[in-house]
Amino acid sequence: GTPISAALSNLYLYGCDMAMQAFVAERGGYYRRYSDDILLILPPEAAEHGQHLVESLLARDRLKISADKTQITTFGAENGDVDQVAAQYLGFSFFKHGVGIRPQSLSRQHRKLVGAIKRTKRRDAVAGSESPVSTRKLRRRFSPVGIRNFSRYARVAALAFDNGMTIRRQVLRLELRADRLIRTLKVESAKSIGKNGSLASDSED
């Protein structure tokens, strides 16, 4: 979790990386590791050997693969058009038809959106403001206007994957949901102020 964790992991696993790179090169495969996330792509006949090799190399360095986070996917004609079959790596799902953001990442972002809306409602209620709630911070955090937020990250990722339409559709749905919730919050706040104002006028009369 420290800023130098990635550098330390690269130093510690240098021997493992070199051995795996040589192994996949001989078989026309592909090996990548980012910190503790490992991606291994091999012809089907070499897959089992590759898995055992990476496990033994890590064991040599007193490490082990997390079994519950290990995913084995076979891509090929035998999969037909089953879109549910996907490999996952660094927050992305690699389907037969293209690349998408992992559903878990989208769900987590949606929970953050709902939580932020609720907190804004509570703060507005406590403050007792006489003007509609400000949604500027929510817009910056959950809409494309933000400089550094999930929407911008997803759109940059889509460009990196040849303008991937799957990612664009995913983030657009999330943005539309955020827009509806923020608009609703604004309307409810305005209505509450109008109602309270009317009650105050009646009591004064």
Side-chain angles (χ1 to χ4, degrees), residues 3-23:
I4 63 170
S5 292
L8 290 176
S9 68
N10 288 340
L11 289 171
Y12 192 75
L13 292 173
Y14 180 79
C16 174
D17 289 339
M18 293 300 99
M20 288 305 305
Q21 191 60 48
F23 174 80

Side-chain angles (χ1 to χ4, degrees), residues 20 23 40 46-59:
M20 288 305 305
F23 174 80
L40 186 61
E48 186 175 354
H49 186 184
Q51 182 180 353
H52 291 324
L53 178 60
V54 73
E55 288 175 350
S56 64
L57 288 170
L58 290 174

Side-chain angles (χ1 to χ4, degrees), residues 2 31 41 55-56 58-59 84 100 104 118 125 130 132 156 162 203:
T2 66
Y31 170 80
I41 301 176
E55 288 175 350
S56 64
L58 290 174
Q84 287 77 7
Q104 296 93 323
K118 290 180 178 178
E130 295 181 359
V156 170
D162 296 326
S203 63

Side-chain angles (χ1 to χ4, degrees), residues 136-165:
R136 185 177 301 175
K137 289 184 179 180
L138 290 172
R139 291 285 182 190
R140 284 203 302 264
R141 185 177 177 188
F142 296 104
S143 69
V145 300
I147 297 176
R148 295 182 64 182
N149 61 14
F150 186 85
S151 288
R152 184 57 59 91
Y153 158 77
R155 291 172 180 273
V156 170
L159 290 175
F161 288 111
D162 296 326
N163 203 26
M165 293 308 298

Side-chain angles (χ1 to χ4, degrees), residues 150-183:
F150 186 85
S151 288
R152 184 57 59 91
Y153 158 77
R155 291 172 180 273
V156 170
L159 290 175
F161 288 111
D162 296 326
N163 203 26
M165 293 308 298
T166 299
I167 295 178
R168 287 189 173 276
R169 286 192 294 268
Q170 288 175 317
V171 72
L172 181 59
R173 285 195 295 268
L174 190 61
E175 290 167 353
L176 291 173
R177 173 68 171 164
D179 182 65
R180 286 195 298 270
L181 289 176
I182 293 172
R183 286 177 182 273

Side-chain angles (χ1 to χ4, degrees), residues 13-165:
L13 292 173
Y14 180 79
C16 174
D17 289 339
M18 293 300 99
M20 288 305 305
Q21 191 60 48
F23 174 80
V24 299
E26 291 177 359
R27 293 159 179 80
Y30 188 86
Y31 170 80
R32 285 293 183 272
R33 180 186 59 78
Y34 181 82
S35 193
D36 61 345
D37 289 328
I38 295 174
L39 175 67
L40 186 61
I41 301 176
L42 287 165
E45 61 274 12
E48 186 175 354
H49 186 184
Q51 182 180 353
H52 291 324
L53 178 60
V54 73
E55 288 175 350
S56 64
L57 288 170
L58 290 174
R60 183 192 63 185
D61 292 329
R62 299 183 180 181
L63 300 171
K64 65 178 180 178
I65 291 290
S66 178
D68 58 337
K69 293 183 179 180
T70 299
Q71 185 178 28
I72 301 174
T73 303
T74 302
F75 286 93
E78 67 274 13
N79 287 337
D81 294 322
V82 180
D83 291 340
Q84 287 77 7
V85 177
Q88 299 190 44
Y89 187 61
L90 297 181
F92 296 96
S93 295
F94 296 84
F95 297 94
K96 184 178 180 180
H97 65 270
V99 181
I101 297 173
R102 291 177 61 194
Q104 296 93 323
S105 299
L106 295 169
S107 297
R108 183 166 58 249
Q109 186 66 9
H110 183 264
R111 288 194 298 271
K112 289 181 179 180
L113 167 63
V114 173
I117 293 286
K118 290 180 178 178
R119 287 191 297 273
T120 303
K121 281 184 178 181
R122 287 196 296 268
R123 282 196 298 266
D124 186 55
V126 171
S129 175
E130 295 181 359
S131 59
V133 61
S134 173
T135 57
R136 185 177 301 175
K137 289 184 179 180
L138 290 172
R139 291 285 182 190
R140 284 203 302 264
R141 185 177 177 188
F142 296 104
S143 69
V145 300
I147 297 176
R148 295 182 64 182
N149 61 14
F150 186 85
S151 288
R152 184 57 59 91
Y153 158 77
R155 291 172 180 273
V156 170
L159 290 175
F161 288 111
D162 296 326
N163 203 26
M165 293 308 298

